[in-house]
Amino acid sequence: MSKQTDDFFKSVVSHAKEYGFVFQSSEIYDGLSAVYDYGQLGSELKNNLKTYWWKSMVQLHENIVGIDAAIFMHPTTWKASGHVDGFNDPMIDNKDSKKRYRADQLIEDKIARYEGDGKTAEAAALLEALNTALNADDLAGLKSIIEEHNIVCPVSGTKNWTEVRQFNLMFATQMGAMADGADQVYLRPETAQGIFVNFLNVQKTGRMKIPFGIAQIGKAFRNEVIARQFIMRMREFEQMEMQFFCRPGTELEWYNKWKETRLKWHLALGFDPANYRYHDHDKLAHYANAAVDIEFNFPFGFKEVEGIHSRTDFDLKQHQEYSKKKMQYFDPEINQNYIPYVIETSIGLDRLFLTVLCNSLVTEDLSTAEKQDSRVVLKFPPALAPVKAAILPLTKKDGLPEKAREILNTLKLDYNVQYDEKDAIGKRYRRQDAIGTPICITVDYDSLEDNTVTIRHRDTMEQERVAIGDLERIVNDLAGWNTLLKKLI
Ligand code: ATP
């Protein structure tokens, strides 16, 4: 099955549910729109993705440290960052279908259709008109574009549109017992500001010298106008962000370095490089002087997974102004005080999770002349696999389970491993294929005599006989963090 189809995407979503990767939140109450829970295998995969990111940022870089800031922040943070006034999406409703859309996305879809039809001049002109309207916050202009280009509602097929309105994406709530406006706080819409407000705390207590970075993994919340495509666009999601502080004037050099480093990080997972690309921003955010997305070819097309932004000194300067606290760094090498410039790398953990699922899920035809057969496999990079090895006694008796548990008890100190004695061995292999376990270790009668076992490899289905004493090394060589991290240095 081609991976660029709705059917493939549906199979990813149903596989994720069937095997305990992702569930709809509060499903027994019919779910909550665009909110998802990670199940027993999903949370393992997610933790492994976080570990991969954290180790590659913090452990492999002498000049990057990590923090864990609170979700709630002083409300002035969001005034200073521009989110209270500017974190809006232009929305529009179709009066017939009662469906709500992002006006800019309706226009982007039209541009893609022009491109698909070979109308490149029309596509370029429309893109320019869109950028002009967005840069000028011209909501009436967006509406005119939608009308002029005969953009219809995908559901009702009509052009019966409301005006375009701005919609702030931040969730607000009350802190403390008083329910008046003074106590209003926000669920953070990005993790970055927790890093900016702690810039000097970390720099001073960690005796950090510029250039240096601060990394963080945490939840972010956005009241997305339209939330769809599974865990692609959620209202509660997780970000992995790193802000890299550098000397003014050097930022574009660092921007290019991080742009390259981050793509290399994605490609080190070993998936097809043709499904990854850069997308340079046409419309720069008010704080940025360069920005690029790393896009992945999802079943619904190339979409952003990670953003790399040169944010200038905008955020620190704003916090200096609003807090009246100096956000400056004294650079002993040039004997000067300055507000550092910042390069941000910001990746959505849930989107990354989806790229890994889409890349890994395959159905293989194993039919022979005699019989029809196929298997569903999650070909995860071994270091990311939720279960690293399954230990399978050939039978449930004669001391084989005890021998298998001995192996389990050694390997479980370092890895998440599973024991399974139910059903025929072939069926157990298939169960492990479907959850992406890189190797199955089968304990048989010979194992009791000569302390060897059979390893069956997920991807090739090949089998080999190895000594039990070698298992720790074999699992480590295949699925250990060092094997993956070595590709980055
Ligand atoms: P988009 O244009 O798709 O809305 P964005 O440009 O607003 O994304 P950023 O603010 O740059 O996104 O956030 C950084 C990363 O956080 C994105 O690259 C994406 O992976 C992730 N992200 C942003 N919004 C969501 C969301 N609603 N659900 C899941 N992940 C998200």
Side-chain angles (χ1 to χ4, degrees), residues 16 27 33 68 81 93 111 157 181 200 272 302 308 311 412 431 434 436 470 481 484:
E27 194 188 306
S33 166
D68 183 13
S81 68
D93 294 281
I111 294 171
L200 278 184
D272 183 358
F302 274 98
I308 296 117
R311 290 179 81 124
K412 79 179 183 193
R431 261 204 303 271
D470 287 341
W481 285 114
L484 178 56

Side-chain angles (χ1 to χ4, degrees), residues 222 224 232-234 237 239 304-306 346 348 351:
R222 295 182 188 178
E224 298 281 0
M232 181 71 195
R233 190 170 294 285
M234 302 155 89
F237 58 101
Q239 289 185 316
E304 170 180 352
V305 181
E306 170 156 10
S346 173
R351 281 192 198 176

Side-chain angles (χ1 to χ4, degrees), residues 218-360:
K219 288 269 172 125
F221 303 83
R222 295 182 188 178
N223 198 2
E224 298 281 0
V225 176
I226 40 154
R228 57 189 156 117
Q229 288 161 334
F230 193 38
I231 52 172
M232 181 71 195
R233 190 170 294 285
M234 302 155 89
R235 297 205 163 98
E236 173 179 343
F237 58 101
E238 214 158 347
Q239 289 185 316
M240 306 196 284
E241 297 197 303
M242 194 278 298
Q243 311 292 328
F244 193 79
F245 301 90
C246 62
R247 195 182 284 167
T250 63
E251 72 275 11
L252 291 180
E253 213 176 290
W254 286 111
Y255 168 78
N256 286 322
K257 180 178 175 297
W258 281 110
K259 180 175 165 177
E260 206 179 291
T261 306
R262 293 306 304 151
L263 184 60
K264 191 172 160 196
W265 183 88
H266 287 271
L267 298 182
L269 291 175
F271 300 123
D272 183 358
N275 287 325
Y276 294 82
R277 71 177 189 196
Y278 290 124
H279 169 77
D280 288 303
H281 283 210
D282 299 315
K283 177 190 180 245
L284 289 176
H286 56 285
Y287 51 74
N289 67 0
V292 65
D293 294 336
I294 294 176
E295 294 187 335
F296 173 71
N297 196 9
F298 288 97
F300 37 85
F302 274 98
K303 297 275 182 247
E304 170 180 352
V305 181
E306 170 156 10
I308 296 117
H309 309 123
S310 173
R311 290 179 81 124
T312 68
D313 57 355
F314 173 81
D315 301 89
L316 291 179
K317 223 176 182 170
Q318 287 290 102
H319 288 305
Q320 174 166 293
E321 192 183 320
Y322 278 78
S323 68
K324 309 277 180 279
K325 309 270 171 15
K326 281 254 178 290
M327 285 287 172
Q328 291 190 341
Y329 168 82
F330 176 71
D331 190 332
E333 279 178 32
I334 53 171
N335 227 6
Q336 262 180 35
N337 272 308
Y338 55 77
I339 297 181
Y341 270 44
V342 173
I343 306 302
E344 163 181 86
T345 72
S346 173
I347 176 167
L349 176 54
D350 312 270
R351 281 192 198 176
L352 174 67
F353 186 104
L354 189 55
T355 67
V356 172
L357 276 187
C358 292
N359 273 314
S360 303

